[in-house]
Amino acid sequence: MSSPVFLSSAFSTANGHLPLLSPRPATCPCPGFASKPTLAPTATFFYRESVHPRFRCCCCCSSSSSSSSSSMPLELSTSASDQDDDLGDSLLYSRAYWVSESIIAWNVDVPDGSCYLYASRTAALSISYDGIQGADVEIELQEDRGGLPANVIEKFPHIRDYKAFKVPASSDAKLLLKCQLAVATYNSDRKCSDATGLQLPGILDELFSYDGPLGALYAEETVSLYLWAPTAQSVSACIYRDPLGGNPLEVVQLKENDGVWSIKGPKSWEGCYYVYEVSVYHPSTLQIEKCYANDPYARGLSSDGRRTLLVNLDSDTLKPEGWDKLVYEKPDILSFSDISIYELHVRDFSVSDHTVHPDFRGGYLAFTLQNSAGVSHLKKLSNAGLTHVHLLPTFQFAGVDDRKENWKSVDAEVLEKLPPDSTEQQAQITAIQNDDGYNWGYNPVLWGVPKGSYASNPNGSCRTIEFRRMVQALNHIGLRVVLDVVYNHLQGSGPFDDNSVLDKVVPGYYLRRNSDGFIEHSTCMNNTASEHYMVERLIIDDLLCWAVNYKVDGFRFDLMGHIMKSTMMKAKHALHSLTKEIHGVDGSSIYIYGEGWDFGEVAKNGRGVNASQFNLSGTGIGSFNDRIRDAMLGGSPFGPPLQQGFVTGLLLQPNGHDHGTKVVEEQMLAAAKDHIQVGLAANLRDFQLTNSEGNKVKGSEVKTYDGTPVAYALCPTETISYVSAHDNETLFDVVSLKTAMRISVDERCRINHLATSIIALGQGIPFFHCGDEILRSKSLDRDSYNSGDWFNRIDFSYNSNNWGVGLPPKEKNEKNWPLIRPRLADPSFKPQKSHILAALENFSDVLRIRYSSPLFRLRTANAIQERIYFHNTGPSAVPGVIVMSIEDGHEGVPGLSPLDSNFSYIVVIFNSSPTEVSFVGPALQGKNLQLHPIQVKSVDEIVKNSSFEANSGCFAIPPRTTSVFVEPRAT
C-alpha cells in the first residue's frame, strides 16, 4: 500500500459536487436519541444534586445486534473470522478525531502494524476480514511519537492521551471532508485489528472557521443567502411564496466558496419562505442524505416551523412607533448591583387573566395593555423597585404547535368541581399535554426566531412586531427585559427529525459527541459544543441579534456550565461593545447570568474550562446560588421532601422527619445559618465572618455537606440569590410540604414572606419566581414544565393562589402523593384573598426597603467586607436568628465614606423561630435604632411589635419576622 492512493477515477462530477444517494429511513425511532445508531450501547446517566431537575431521560435507544443488513450499511463476508464479528459494527462509531489538517488522534496501539485513512464519496465503506472495502481514497498514516500538540490538547482535553497519526501534506483534506471517512489499523500479518469513523470538528475549525456574512442579507435590489456547510456535497434553496403547501417558486443551486454556500437573488424574494436542501454524509445513518433544513440564522418562520421567512429586521414596517428611540427611554440602571429579577413565563402571565382580550391572552401583546390585572401587578412591583423581568424561553421551541387551531384543551369548569386531592385533574391534563398550548420551552429548535405560539399570527412578521411591542411596553412601565437563552442543547438531531436544523447542515459538528462518537445527552437532550468555533460564533451572533434587533436588556443562560467560559467572556465583551450611536443599544447595561452547575461530560473542565460557578469568579457574570436556597428550605430539591431548613422549622418546629438526634439538628441549623449569612454577603469567596463554631473564616472555608465551598464569587454581581424558580415546587408549596402539618396557614404565609425577605435584603442580585409574592401554588407539582395551564395558573385578581386543584401529574409526583394528598385535602392549608393581598403588600415593602438605601446594594467586595457584620454568631448564638448590620460611616469609624444620605446604620434581623425572640447585641448598645419607616406603616401588624432598647442593646423580634432597624443620619 502507498500513500495516498486514489481507488476511483470518478472522484468528482462535472459541476464539482459529489454524486448523491437517496435518503433512507432513520434507524432509531426516538427523536430524542435520533443520532444514536441502532447498535449503540444503552446510555447511562448520572446526575449530581445540582443538576437542573427539568432534565430527564425520555428513553434510551438500543436494538438487538440481530438488526437486519437493510438498516446497517455494513457488509460482512460469510467467511469472516471471530475477529471480523468484533469489527462488524465498527463504522457505527467515531472513535478517532481528525483534529487538524495534519493530525488524526486515535486511542489505539499499532507497534508493528499500520494505519490507514479511507474515504468514500458515496458512503460505500464496509468491513471484511481484509479490512475496509469500498473506498475511493486510501491514505497511509504514520504515528507521531511526539504525541498530540499542546494546542490540540487545550481544545480537546478529553483526548489528551490519544496517539497522534500524521496525515500526509499531499492529501486534499477539504475534498475528503465531503466523504464518508474511516480509519483502520492492521497488525503485522495484514489483518484488520481496529476500525472506526472520525469526528471532524477539529479540522473543520482549522480549515473553515469563518467570520463573514451568514443567513439572509438584504440590499436595495437583492437578497443574498449564505450558509456555512463545509461537508456538504451540494446545497440548494427552495423558494416558496406561501408559508404552507404548494410547489416552490424556484429551486436555486448555491455555489460554494471555502465551505460557505451562497447565492444572490432578486429583491422579490423578501417576504417569501425558503428551505435548504443539503446533500451531505451523515454519521448517524452512515449514508449520504438529502436533508431539508431551515436556515440556522433564520429570523422568521412559517407557522408549521418548516420554512424560513425572509424577513428584514431593519425594515421600518416592522418597527413599532418610537422603536428607534427606545434606547433613550429605558429605565435607568446605574449599577448591576441595583438589579432585581422577576422570572415570568409568557403564557402564564395572561392566559388566565380575564381582563385581557381573548385574542391577546397567553401572548406577547398581553404585555402591551395598560390596565389589565397582570400589567397593573407588574406596575406595582416596578413602583416598589423591581428592575428586570426575566422571560422563560421565547425563541422557537418544540413541544407547542404554533398553530392555535391544532391545540387541545380540557374543560376547566369540569375540573373546578373535582375534589382538591383528586387524580382526575392530572389525568385529563396529561392526556393532552403534548397537544395543548403549554410548555416551558427549554427544548430549542431555532435560537434566533421568536416563538410563534405567542404571536397573534405565527406566519409573516407578526412575531417580530409583537415581540418588539412587548419589550417596548415593559420598558415603558420601568422594567427591563431578560431573555432565557438555551444554548446548551437542541431538541432535534439527525437527518430526518423535523426539529433538527444544525445537525442536518453540518452533521456531527454542532452537537458534542462522546468518545464513541454518539451525541452527549447529559442535559438529556442533544448537547451543543460551544468549544467549536462556529458553534460559539452562532451563539454570539444570536445574542447580538436579540440585543440589537429586539433591544433586550439581559440574558439568562440555561445550564451555563455546559458552555465554555471563553464563550461566555466573548459574549459579554461583544454585548458590552454595543453602543447607542452605532447599534442603538447601550451594551454596557446588558447583564448576563446563568446556571453554573458542573456535571456531565464538562465536569471538572472535561471539555475545556467551562462556565461553572467556581470558574466564573472575577468575570462579572452571575450564577445562581443554590446554597442559600437549600439552607433556607432544607436539603435540596432532590433530597427527602420533608427535610427541613432554616425557615421551614428545622429543630424549632419539627415536622416528624427523622433528621437525626437533637445534637445533629442543632448542627444542621447552625450550618444552614452559616450558609445563609455567606449568601447575604453576596456569597463572596473572601468575605470574613464568625461561623457557628466561633471561628473566623472566609466564605470559601464554609463548606457544604460534601465539602464543597459555599462561597465562590469575587464581586457581588456574580451571585444570583434565590429561594425558588420555575423548577421544583413554588415557594408556598415547598413551605406547605416541609412545615409541620399542625401549623396554621397564617404561619405558612409568614414563612413565605420571611424567605422572600432574606433574598430581597441580601447583597448580590435577588431573583424571584413569579408568584412568590402572592403565595403562588402549583398544587405541589415539582416539575410543571408540561403540566398545562391548569397547574401553572396565576391569578392577578388575587382571588386564588391555585392551591388544591388536584393531585399534581403522576409522572414526577406519584411517589410523593401520600404526602401531598392529605395537605391538598385539608381546607385549612388554602390561603384566602386576605392572605394573598397581605403577602403582596409585605413583598412590596421589602422591595421598597431594599431600594430605600444603597447599603442593601453595595457594589464591591471591599465595601461588603467593610460594612457588613453578623452578630449572634458562635456556639452561644440564639438558634434560628440572623442579625446583620450594615455600617455607613457613623461617628467613630474613620475612612468610611457615607453612601446613604438618610441612614448611617442599618440592622436587619431574621427570626425563623415560631416564637418571639430577644437578642442582646453589646456592639449595638447606645445606637439610635428605629424600626424602618416602611415597616412602621406596614399592613403587617406583627412586625410593628419589633422593638429595640438602646441602653441594653436588646431587640425583641416577633415570630417568623424580618425586622429592619435604621439609624437616621444626624443632620
Side-chain angles (χ1 to χ4, degrees):
M1 298 180 182
S2 59
S3 174
V5 177
F6 285 80
L7 303 180
S8 171
S9 60
F11 198 76
S12 61
T13 60
N15 64 1
H17 302 296
L18 302 180
L20 309 178
L21 294 180
S22 300
R24 78 179 175 84
T27 59
C28 177
C30 172
F33 283 69
S35 290
K36 192 167 287 189
T38 53
L39 286 187
T42 299
T44 301
F45 299 85
F46 172 78
Y47 294 78
R48 54 160 275 189
E49 281 205 338
S50 289
V51 173
H52 209 298
R54 175 177 68 258
F55 299 101
R56 64 214 169 278
C57 301
C58 58
C59 70
C60 287
C61 291
S62 61
S63 301
S64 166
S65 58
S66 62
S67 298
S68 68
S69 61
S70 64
S71 64
M72 286 289 176
L74 302 171
E75 299 172 8
L76 291 177
S77 166
T78 55
S79 60
S81 65
D82 290 342
Q83 183 185 36
D84 297 324
D85 293 332
D86 295 335
L87 291 170
D89 59 359
S90 295
L91 298 189
L92 289 167
Y93 300 85
S94 296
R95 290 169 170 155
Y97 298 71
W98 198 343
V99 293
S100 70
E101 188 171 10
S102 60
I103 298 175
I104 289 175
W106 193 11
N107 193 25
V108 292
D109 291 314
V110 284
D112 301 317
S114 54
C115 184
Y116 287 84
L117 168 66
Y118 297 92
S120 169
R121 69 182 187 271
T122 58
L125 298 182
S126 62
I127 301 177
S128 74
Y129 63 92
D130 288 325
I132 291 184
Q133 309 298 316
D136 300 305
V137 177
E138 178 185 274
I139 300 172
E140 185 171 13
L141 309 176
Q142 299 294 328
E143 184 176 351
D144 184 345
R145 299 295 181 179
L148 297 174
N151 66 314
V152 170
I153 293 173
E154 182 181 7
K155 186 176 179 69
F156 302 107
H158 58 298
I159 62 169
R160 64 174 61 250
D161 297 325
Y162 280 38
K163 302 292 192 300
F165 294 89
K166 294 184 289 186
V167 180
S170 57
S171 306
D172 189 343
K174 289 185 177 181
L175 195 56
L176 292 174
L177 289 170
K178 296 181 180 297
C179 301
Q180 181 187 19
L181 298 170
V183 286
T185 58
Y186 296 84
N187 54 32
S188 56
D189 63 1
R190 313 305 296 165
K191 295 295 184 183
C192 182
S193 55
D194 208 342
T196 190
L198 282 86
Q199 299 188 38
L200 305 178
I203 186 172
L204 291 178
D205 280 352
E206 181 178 84
L207 297 183
F208 295 106
S209 293
Y210 169 74
D211 294 310
L214 288 171
L217 273 70
Y218 301 89
E220 189 173 341
E221 296 182 355
T222 61
V223 175
S224 300
L225 301 178
Y226 296 86
L227 180 71
W228 186 76
T231 61
Q233 296 182 353
S234 70
V235 176
S236 299
C238 306
I239 311 296
Y240 294 86
R241 172 62 61 192
D242 299 316
L244 306 171
N247 295 318
L249 293 173
E250 53 184 319
V251 178
V252 293
Q253 183 79 32
L254 278 67
K255 294 182 179 179
E256 183 183 15
N257 180 21
D258 212 18
V260 178
W261 300 78
S262 64
I263 191 170
K264 184 174 290 186
K267 185 67 171 177
S268 60
W269 280 3
E270 189 172 339
C272 291
Y273 296 81
Y274 66 106
V275 176
Y276 282 126
E277 180 187 279
V278 182
S279 294
V280 64
Y281 171 73
H282 209 291
S284 70
T285 63
L286 308 187
Q287 300 249 5
I288 308 296
E289 304 288 4
K290 186 176 289 187
C291 300
Y292 294 91
N294 280 302
D295 192 330
Y297 278 73
R299 300 296 177 241
L301 284 172
S302 59
S303 61
D304 64 354
R306 302 290 175 259
R307 295 175 185 172
T308 301
L309 173 66
L310 283 158
V311 55
N312 182 3
L313 298 183
D314 290 329
S315 173
D316 289 339
T317 62
L318 304 184
K319 298 177 181 179
E321 183 179 354
W323 179 250
D324 289 332
K325 297 179 181 179
L326 184 61
V327 66
Y328 301 103
E329 300 170 347
K330 284 183 176 287
D332 291 335
I333 190 80
L334 300 179
S335 166
F336 287 155
S337 291
D338 293 332
I339 290 174
S340 53
I341 301 171
Y342 186 74
E343 181 196 47
L344 178 62
H345 185 263
V346 170
R347 185 171 174 85
D348 287 351
F349 175 67
S350 61
V351 73
S352 301
D353 188 344
H354 294 289
T355 66
V356 174
H357 190 282
D359 292 344
F360 293 173
R361 289 178 196 165
Y364 303 126
L365 291 179
F367 292 90
T368 68
L369 305 176
Q370 288 302 304
N371 298 310
S372 71
V375 170
S376 296
H377 184 81
L378 291 182
K379 287 179 180 178
K380 180 173 293 189
L381 298 181
S382 175
N383 291 336
L386 189 76
T387 66
H388 286 61
V389 166
H390 159 166
L391 299 176
L392 267 66
T394 52
F395 49 74
Q396 185 66 16
F397 57 81
V400 175
D401 195 323
D402 287 343
R403 296 162 293 184
K404 297 176 177 62
E405 62 270 20
N406 292 339
W407 295 350
K408 296 179 181 177
S409 62
V410 296
D411 188 336
E413 291 186 4
V414 172
L415 299 187
E416 291 281 6
K417 298 174 183 177
L418 295 169
D421 61 339
S422 169
T423 62
E424 184 60 26
Q425 295 96 327
Q426 63 88 30
Q428 290 195 33
I429 295 299
T430 55
I432 63 160
Q433 65 181 1
N434 296 321
D435 299 301
D436 63 0
Y438 197 89
N439 197 289
W440 279 346
Y442 292 94
N443 35 6
V445 177
L446 281 162
W447 291 324
V449 183
K451 177 60 177 169
S453 64
Y454 297 147
S456 59
N457 184 350
N459 288 311
S461 56
C462 281
R463 304 179 193 222
T464 297
I465 298 170
E466 294 176 7
F467 196 102
R468 286 172 165 173
R469 289 185 61 191
M470 173 183 68
V471 173
Q472 186 180 50
L474 284 167
N475 285 175
H476 283 168
I477 63 171
L479 295 169
R480 288 177 171 249
V481 178
V482 173
L483 295 193
D484 201 324
V485 289
V486 186
Y487 296 124
N488 62 87
H489 62 224
L490 288 163
Q491 174 71 17
S493 63
F496 311 114
D497 187 339
D498 287 340
N499 292 316
S500 175
V501 176
L502 299 180
D503 199 43
K504 291 177 177 177
V505 175
V506 191
Y509 178 81
Y510 287 96
L511 303 179
R512 188 179 289 136
R513 295 197 279 172
N514 63 22
S515 58
D516 286 330
F518 304 137
I519 296 171
E520 291 280 10
H521 289 83
S522 58
T523 66
C524 231
M525 283 191 195
N526 304 287
N527 296 6
T528 53
S530 68
E531 60 270 27
H532 303 160
Y533 186 89
M534 296 302 287
V535 182
E536 178 179 85
R537 183 194 159 174
L538 178 55
I539 290 171
I540 294 173
D541 285 349
D542 189 71
L543 291 168
L544 291 173
C545 174
W546 287 107
V548 172
N549 293 304
Y550 292 97
K551 301 187 186 300
V552 300
D553 307 291
F555 298 94
R556 177 267 192 190
F557 287 75
D558 187 64
L559 291 187
M560 180 173 61
H562 270 64
I563 299 172
M564 294 300 107
K565 176 182 176 181
S566 59
T567 302
M568 294 299 301
M569 294 304 295
K570 290 174 185 176
K572 178 185 174 185
H573 175 75
L575 290 168
H576 286 191
S577 297
L578 299 174
T579 66
K580 293 180 180 180
E581 295 74 20
I582 298 174
H583 308 100
V585 173
D586 177 12
S588 66
S589 68
I590 295 175
Y591 179 64
I592 58 177
Y593 61 102
E595 296 177 303
W597 320 137
D598 191 41
F599 69 99
E601 76 281 0
V602 301
K604 299 180 180 178
N605 302 321
R607 294 299 180 101
V609 180
N610 62 325
S612 59
Q613 288 172 332
F614 290 96
N615 287 340
L616 288 175
S617 298
T619 65
I621 295 171
S623 66
F624 286 93
N625 175 16
D626 51 337
R627 282 74 151 166
I628 194 169
R629 175 202 64 187
D630 294 348
M632 289 168 66
L633 299 179
S636 80
F638 318 102
L642 296 185
Q643 187 170 341
Q644 292 175 290
F646 184 84
V647 303
T648 54
L650 178 62
L651 176 68
L652 303 176
Q653 196 162 49
N655 63 2
H657 179 72
D658 183 7
H659 295 93
T661 64
K662 184 177 181 181
V663 171
V664 169
E665 287 188 323
E666 290 172 346
Q667 293 171 343
M668 291 174 65
L669 182 60
K673 177 180 170 180
D674 284 348
H675 292 191
I676 294 168
Q677 289 178 154
V678 172
L680 287 166
N683 216 46
L684 293 174
R685 189 176 72 190
D686 297 324
F687 179 80
Q688 294 185 356
L689 73 161
T690 301
N691 68 8
S692 57
E693 297 174 354
N695 299 320
K696 195 80 169 180
V697 295
K698 293 181 178 180
S700 59
E701 295 170 334
V702 178
K703 301 298 176 69
T704 64
Y705 68 95
D706 63 355
T708 302
V710 168
Y712 54 81
L714 284 178
C715 73
T717 56
E718 290 172 355
T719 294
I720 306 292
S721 295
Y722 74 114
V723 69
S724 72
H726 63 275
D727 288 311
N728 313 309
E729 296 89 350
T730 67
L731 175 57
F732 182 81
D733 281 353
V734 78
V735 167
S736 298
L737 186 63
K738 288 177 177 288
T739 52
M741 286 197 66
R742 67 181 182 275
I743 72 172
S744 69
V745 67
D746 297 320
E747 293 175 280
R748 293 191 182 93
C749 292
R750 294 200 67 77
I751 293 171
N752 189 101
H753 177 56
L754 175 65
T756 56
S757 65
I758 291 175
I759 298 301
L761 299 178
Q763 304 295 323
I765 295 178
F767 174 100
F768 308 101
H769 178 43
C770 171
D772 283 354
E773 75 284 10
I774 50 175
L775 311 177
R776 182 184 185 180
S777 173
K778 297 180 182 178
S779 210
L780 288 166
D781 190 352
R782 64 173 290 106
D783 187 1
S784 68
Y785 81 102
N786 201 19
S787 298
D789 297 324
W790 181 256
F791 288 99
N792 285 286
R793 287 183 305 175
I794 187 163
D795 181 4
F796 290 119
S797 72
Y798 314 131
N799 287 310
S800 170
N801 76 330
N802 209 45
W803 172 268
V805 296
L807 284 170
K810 179 178 181 179
E811 178 191 6
K812 295 296 182 67
N813 301 283
E814 186 179 20
K815 69 177 182 180
N816 288 334
W817 277 359
L819 297 175
I820 294 171
R821 177 171 268 130
R823 288 165 170 81
L824 295 182
D826 186 341
S828 72
F829 273 73
K830 185 176 179 63
Q832 303 304 307
K833 185 171 184 175
S834 58
H835 293 113
I836 297 170
L837 290 172
L840 176 58
E841 289 304 315
N842 287 334
F843 181 82
S844 299
D845 280 352
V846 293
L847 276 182
R848 283 192 285 267
I849 290 171
R850 179 177 182 83
Y851 289 98
S852 71
S853 173
L855 299 178
F856 289 111
R857 310 185 309 280
L858 298 174
R859 298 182 181 183
T860 67
N862 284 340
I864 291 173
Q865 185 64 69
E866 290 174 337
R867 296 169 187 268
I868 300 291
Y869 184 80
F870 290 100
H871 310 258
N872 188 41
T873 58
S876 61
V878 179
V881 178
I882 293 174
V883 183
M884 175 179 69
S885 64
I886 314 176
E887 172 70 69
D888 195 38
H890 70 291
E891 185 179 354
V893 181
L896 203 60
S897 300
L899 300 176
D900 190 332
S901 60
N902 296 315
F903 309 130
S904 61
Y905 203 82
I906 297 176
V907 176
V908 185
I909 303 181
F910 305 102
N911 175 21
S912 69
S913 171
T915 60
E916 178 179 288
V917 297
S918 295
F919 162 74
V920 176
L924 303 174
Q925 282 180 292
K927 289 198 172 296
N928 180 28
L929 292 172
Q930 306 167 10
L931 193 63
H932 197 291
I934 290 174
Q935 289 192 321
V936 170
K937 298 177 182 179
S938 174
V939 298
D940 178 14
E941 294 298 325
I942 295 178
V943 75
K944 295 177 183 179
N945 294 325
S946 307
S947 65
F948 171 71
E949 186 180 86
N951 291 336
S952 63
C954 181
F955 296 85
I957 308 299
R960 297 192 173 102
T961 296
T962 296
S963 302
V964 181
F965 295 87
V966 294
E967 182 178 66
R969 187 171 295 285
T971 57

